[in-house]
Amino acid sequence: DAKTTQPPSMDCAEGRAANLPCNHSTISGNEYVYWYRQIHSQGPQYIIHGLKNNETNEMASLIITEDRKSSTLILPHATLRDTAVYYCIVLGSNDYKLSFGAGTTVTVRA
Amino acid sequence: EAGVAQSPRYKIIEKRQSVAFWCNPISGHATLYWYQQILGQGPKLLIQFQNNGVVDDSQLPKDRFSAERLKGVDSTLKIQPAKLEDSAVYLCASSSTGGSNTEAFFGQGTRLTVV
């Protein structure tokens, strides 16, 4: 049973911000939202995670709604190297099962 | 810090043959994951270890797949006998504790082709 819903694909112009939505309406109070990405022919790479508050690191920002039912990953200045599949994951608080869905294929165009 | 090491990178076998994959996680990481990724799909969790104990193997096809993590460090995943539908990339990942506030690190994967 999928815990998250993401659009299958989206395009973004190079140099612009990319906003990737994720719905997780059944999230529990102590479950974290994680984002990973997978560039072609590589293993997934951790991007960022959060619980309630918005988070920012050198790669991206994570905005979580107040009711925690959805979140948005923001790549502030997309580059061609950001072309990848992006996965939004809710990490179970009991089993810590890191389960991937289909993700969003993001294509950054010059 | 060295990353997660996997070998081999590529393997081609005939159906009904056996194959084994090896994973060396990041030093000190207690949690180890094996995933199967079929072309065009997201990674599917096969088995999760915490040290040398199995936390979850609900999606591991136990009639043909087996995995072990001796001494809580390296791990091997075996398929015996292989089927055509086992063609996929097999990914290994590790994390320090496996808790809900830790990131996982992935290896490059082993691409298996069954002919």
Side-chain angles (χ1 to χ4, degrees):
Chain A
D1 56 343
K3 287 187 173 183
T4 64
T5 303
Q6 298 178 253
S9 64
M10 63 183 295
D11 285 0
C12 176
E14 187 179 22
R16 295 291 190 101
N19 297 307
L20 284 63
C22 179
N23 287 322
H24 32 79
S25 58
T26 61
I27 192 170
S28 299
N30 55 356
E31 291 180 320
Y32 283 76
V33 178
Y34 273 74
W35 284 84
Y36 284 79
R37 75 179 182 183
Q38 187 172 24
I39 295 170
H40 184 62
S41 296
Q42 297 182 20
Q45 174 193 25
Y46 165 83
I47 301 173
I48 197 167
H49 74 283
L51 183 63
K52 297 179 181 178
N53 300 321
N54 298 336
E55 302 288 343
T56 295
N57 62 20
E58 65 278 5
M59 290 182 67
S61 295
L62 174 61
I63 309 298
I64 302 174
T65 58
E66 192 168 345
D67 63 8
R68 302 213 323 125
K69 292 184 177 182
S70 66
S71 61
T72 300
L73 179 75
I74 301 173
L75 307 177
H77 305 287
T79 70
L80 298 179
R81 288 178 293 182
D82 292 322
T83 292
V85 180
Y86 287 77
Y87 298 97
C88 170
I89 300 168
V90 169
L91 201 57
S93 57
N94 294 321
D95 56 22
Y96 310 130
K97 187 186 296 186
L98 188 60
S99 297
F100 291 78
T104 297
T105 298
V106 174
T107 303
V108 180
R109 302 191 186 279
Chain B
E1 158 180 277
V4 176
Q6 290 189 247
S7 67
R9 284 298 312 277
Y10 305 92
K11 189 74 176 180
I12 301 174
I13 62 172
E14 296 182 350
K15 59 183 179 184
R16 291 186 290 274
Q17 284 187 323
S18 301
V19 65
F21 312 125
W22 174 80
C23 173
N24 185 17
I26 292 173
S27 178
H29 278 193
T31 302
L32 186 146
Y33 309 84
W34 280 104
Y35 290 86
Q36 179 195 59
Q37 187 169 25
I38 293 171
L39 187 64
Q41 300 180 16
K44 170 187 168 185
L45 180 63
L46 294 176
I47 190 167
Q48 178 179 343
F49 291 96
Q50 184 74 12
N51 295 309
N52 59 351
V54 175
V55 173
D56 184 283
D57 63 357
S58 57
Q59 298 196 89
L60 186 73
K62 298 180 184 65
D63 58 334
R64 297 185 301 107
F65 285 64
S66 65
E68 60 181 9
R69 190 182 184 196
L70 299 177
K71 301 180 182 179
V73 181
D74 293 6
S75 178
T76 56
L77 176 69
K78 297 179 182 178
I79 307 175
Q80 180 180 7
K83 294 184 176 181
L84 296 177
E85 58 261 36
D86 298 331
S87 294
V89 175
Y90 290 85
L91 294 160
C92 179
S94 69
S95 68
S96 57
T97 64
S100 57
N101 194 22
T102 58
E103 63 182 277
F105 297 83
F106 284 77
Q108 293 269 54
T110 295
R111 181 177 299 277
L112 173 68
T113 303
V114 182
V115 297

